[in-house]
Each structure stands twice: as C-alpha cells, then as structure tokens.
Amino acid sequence: MTELESRLATALREEAEELAMNVDMRNATDTLEDRLDHVDRSRRVWYVAGAVAAAAAVVVVGLVLAARGPSHDASVPPAANPPASSAGASVVADPFFHPAFSAVLPAWVTQNNVTSHKSDVYAWWTSCDVPATCADFSVSRFDSLTADGLDPRLTYQAFLAHLRDLGSKGTITISRMTPTTVDGHPATEVDADSTAMVANALGCAAGTCQDIQQDMSMR
Amino acid sequence: MTGTTDACRQSSLPESPRAAVTHLFHHHYRRLVGLAALMVDDRETAEEVVQGAFEALYRNWGRLRDPYAAVSYLNRSVVNGSRSKVRRRMTERAFDLPDAGSAPSAETVGLDGSQRHELIVAVRELPRRQREVVVLRYFLDLSEEQIAEWLGVSKGSVKRHAFRATDALQKRMEAWA
C-alpha cells in the first residue's frame, strides 16, 4: 500500500468514527423497534389475508362439490385449477406530477416494498425485495436546458438534435430512438450509454441541470 | 476491520430473528452509520439508510442461507442504500458539500488534523463513482473484483476509477506540500 493509500484508509476510518460518535443509540434503538414492529404488523396483515383467501377457496370448492352432488362421476378427474397467475404488473398513477402520468412497474416488484415519493418534478419507487439489491424506478421532468452554450429556450426538437449530435460525435452511444407519445404529447424513448460524464446533457429538474453519467445506461 | 462474517461468528447470534437483528444492531450500527456517512455526507441521511438496511434484513431474515452472513448483507445493503440516496439527491438538487456541522473539526486528531480535513474534502469532491470506489476499497477493504460486483461494473472500470481518484488525490496532496 502506498503512502497515499495508507493515509487515505486512516483518514476514512477516523472520519467514519467521528461521524458515528454522535449517534444517539437510545433514539436509534427506539426507531429500529418501531420499524420492526411495523414489519411484524404488515406480516400479520398478509397472514390474515392469506387465511381469509384460503377459507374462501375452501368454501367455493365445498359449494361446487355440493352442487355436483351424487351425480358427480368420480372416474372423471376434476378439471385442473388454472395456474396461479403471477403477480401482475402494478400500474401506478401519480396525481401530483404534472403532466400526469401512469407507470407500469415490473411484475416482480412486490407492491408492499414499493415506496412512492411524489413531487411535481420527479417520482420514484424503490424495491429492495431481493436481499442486498435495490432497484430504483424514477420519472423526472426536465425543463429546458440552461447548460453552457445552450439556449435556455431550447425546443424539444432541438434537444433531440442535440442528443443526436452527441451521438454522432461519439460522446454518447445511442442504441435506440423510438418516437412515442406520453398522454398525447410527442415523446421519444432513447437508450444511451456513455463512457464519460456529459455535463448538463439532459436538462434541468428542480433547478439542477443533469448529466449523462458514465457506467449508467439511460433510457 | 469493518465487521466480517468471522467476527460475527465469534459472538453467537440469538435464535429469534428479532433478537438476532437487535444484537447485530447494537454491534454494527455505529460502524455502518460511519460507512453510509462517507457516501452520503450527512449523518441524518446515513442513519436513515442504515435503519432501512436493518429493517430489510429483518424482513428477509428467512431467506438468508447463513445467518452469519448477515454482516455482509448489511454492508452491501448500506452501500446500495447510500448510492440510491445520492442518485436521488442528484435528481433533486445539486450535490451539496457537507455543512460545517458534518465537516471534520480543526481539533481532529490521528492524521494531522488539517491534512485529514483536506483529504476528506478532496474525497468528497471526487466524481460520484470514483468516490464510491475509494470508500469501498479503502474503508471496507474490498478487492477490485468485489467492488466490480457490488457496483455492477467491470473490473477494468474499477481500476480506471481507482487510478483516476488516487491520481487526483495525489496531485492535491502534492499541491498542499
């Protein structure tokens, strides 16, 4: 380890210790207990819902068998139950966002772990259902660019041309540009990657101009 | 140094999931807050991330193949949660440098106080990915392969970010000398 690396490791450890020193453990423990209680309560709700669904299924099967009565031909196997449908994709509409939109989240995102944070410039959902892996889904509204050398009154078409220009120069790699509409407004789906940060290439959300970032695919 | 599976095995875990999570909380909470704070800058957000990691651990306890791997789970969960917070914050607003309250004090001991302060400020000014690599490499002692897996990038990318980061920090240090 070089001298710099050694000093870096020491500095980071000392800094972390100092930052953690002021933690109020009693308060933190109370907060954790509340959160674990909440998990326990939500589990109980699911168990109750599951029990109710199972009971309802038993009643329905009982009624069907009773309706068939003695004429039921035991040699005919009962029709197989349809396979349990996989959890359907959930559609989330955000009433706070302007313009309004609805998003279809992947089916594997379990609704009970999805948190929605809303404002009129961005909305996102986080799923940490898979251990140690979180997935973020977000929708942001970017206003016209105010980046260096770009006209803040940039039009939608001019912005697309700007992205294409970045692609033709090799600054970003565009793998797909598909015209579409969002709530009747013209829109374009763009898949792009970049090996370097492209400052202020996306636009401005909540007063902050956004970069295209390296090692992150943009859609 | 940051809590390994072996260290976890040394103190036996209670059998009940809730008692086990609480046990781990008392042994690792402060260290994990330190880790998260290096990535997100303010302690309040760091505590929120770490609380979330313990809640997720409790929620997923039954899926852990080895309860003694819980510390690794927590480390990774805190890193993921911190990165998520930083990305979200970048969407919300410009990434603020820490306020005076979370910056190291002039009385800091260990390394020369001012040197440590300068070094930490320099780390915080690194681009996001370079900073993540530095914290994972030099605070969590992860290998390049592990960092690549955690961040979902290639090993070459980790090498590149680490080189750029240490190069930038070296130049800063030479400028101070």
Side-chain angles (χ1 to χ4, degrees), chain A residues 1-64:
Chain A
M1 195 179 261
T2 65
E3 186 195 344
L4 170 68
E5 291 173 320
S6 173
R7 296 173 79 169
L8 195 51
T10 304
L12 289 171
R13 286 165 197 178
E14 288 182 359
E15 175 72 358
E17 281 172 19
E18 188 174 299
L19 287 166
M21 211 153 47
N22 299 322
V23 165
D24 179 346
M25 277 307 285
R26 176 173 292 186
N27 187 40
T29 305
D30 289 345
T31 304
L32 179 74
E33 292 295 328
D34 288 344
R35 294 179 81 131
L36 299 190
D37 286 344
H38 177 75
V39 172
D40 285 341
R41 276 198 300 275
S42 60
R43 274 181 185 152
R44 278 194 289 273
V45 168
W46 281 106
Y47 291 153
V48 169
V52 169
V58 168
V59 169
V60 169
V61 169
L63 288 175
V64 169

Side-chain angles (χ1 to χ4, degrees), chain B residues 67-124:
Chain B
Y68 290 98
V71 178
S72 299
Y73 174 97
L74 285 168
N75 281 338
R76 194 157 176 173
S77 188
V78 166
V79 169
N80 280 335
S82 302
R83 296 177 68 214
S84 182
K85 286 280 182 197
V86 172
R87 281 201 299 272
R88 200 167 296 159
R89 192 182 290 172
M90 288 171 77
T91 307
E92 253 179 73
R93 58 183 163 78
F95 190 74
D96 292 332
L97 284 174
D99 58 25
S102 61
S105 68
E107 294 77 28
T108 305
V109 291
L111 276 176
D112 173 86
S114 61
Q115 284 181 338
R116 190 187 114 195
H117 174 83
E118 295 287 349
L119 201 48
I120 292 296
V121 169
V123 169
R124 285 187 170 137

Side-chain angles (χ1 to χ4, degrees), chain B:
Chain B
M1 46 70 59
T2 50
T4 62
T5 302
D6 288 342
C8 183
R9 283 185 195 281
Q10 288 169 7
S11 55
S12 61
L13 279 175
E15 278 191 22
S16 130
R18 184 154 182 154
V21 170
T22 307
H23 176 88
L24 290 167
F25 182 82
H26 286 294
H27 282 78
H28 295 281
Y29 184 71
R30 283 181 192 275
R31 179 185 63 78
L32 291 168
V33 168
L35 166 62
L38 288 174
M39 299 183 79
V40 301
D41 280 337
D42 68 285
R43 205 188 69 229
E44 193 177 315
T45 306
E47 289 205 57
E48 194 183 318
V49 167
V50 178
Q51 288 276 357
F54 276 98
E55 181 185 325
L57 174 66
Y58 182 54
R59 201 184 286 278
N60 293 299
W61 188 264
R63 298 186 199 181
L64 281 179
R65 288 179 185 167
D66 177 4
Y68 290 98
V71 178
S72 299
Y73 174 97
L74 285 168
N75 281 338
R76 194 157 176 173
S77 188
V78 166
V79 169
N80 280 335
S82 302
R83 296 177 68 214
S84 182
K85 286 280 182 197
V86 172
R87 281 201 299 272
R88 200 167 296 159
R89 192 182 290 172
M90 288 171 77
T91 307
E92 253 179 73
R93 58 183 163 78
F95 190 74
D96 292 332
L97 284 174
D99 58 25
S102 61
S105 68
E107 294 77 28
T108 305
V109 291
L111 276 176
D112 173 86
S114 61
Q115 284 181 338
R116 190 187 114 195
H117 174 83
E118 295 287 349
L119 201 48
I120 292 296
V121 169
V123 169
R124 285 187 170 137
E125 288 174 355
L126 290 172
R128 182 178 66 87
R129 186 51 64 83
Q130 289 182 24
R131 177 178 171 173
E132 288 169 359
V133 168
V134 163
V135 171
L136 296 182
R137 179 74 191 89
Y138 299 108
F139 182 73
L140 275 188
D141 286 338
L142 296 186
S143 66
E144 285 172 346
E145 287 85 355
Q146 287 172 310
I147 296 171
E149 190 204 333
W150 282 35
L151 299 184
V153 298
S154 67
K155 190 178 161 187
S157 178
V158 172
K159 277 180 187 287
R160 201 166 52 245
H161 288 304
F163 174 78
R164 286 178 186 158
T166 49
D167 188 48
L169 294 173
Q170 185 72 52
K171 283 177 181 156
R172 288 283 292 265
M173 283 180 68
E174 286 167 2
W176 305 329

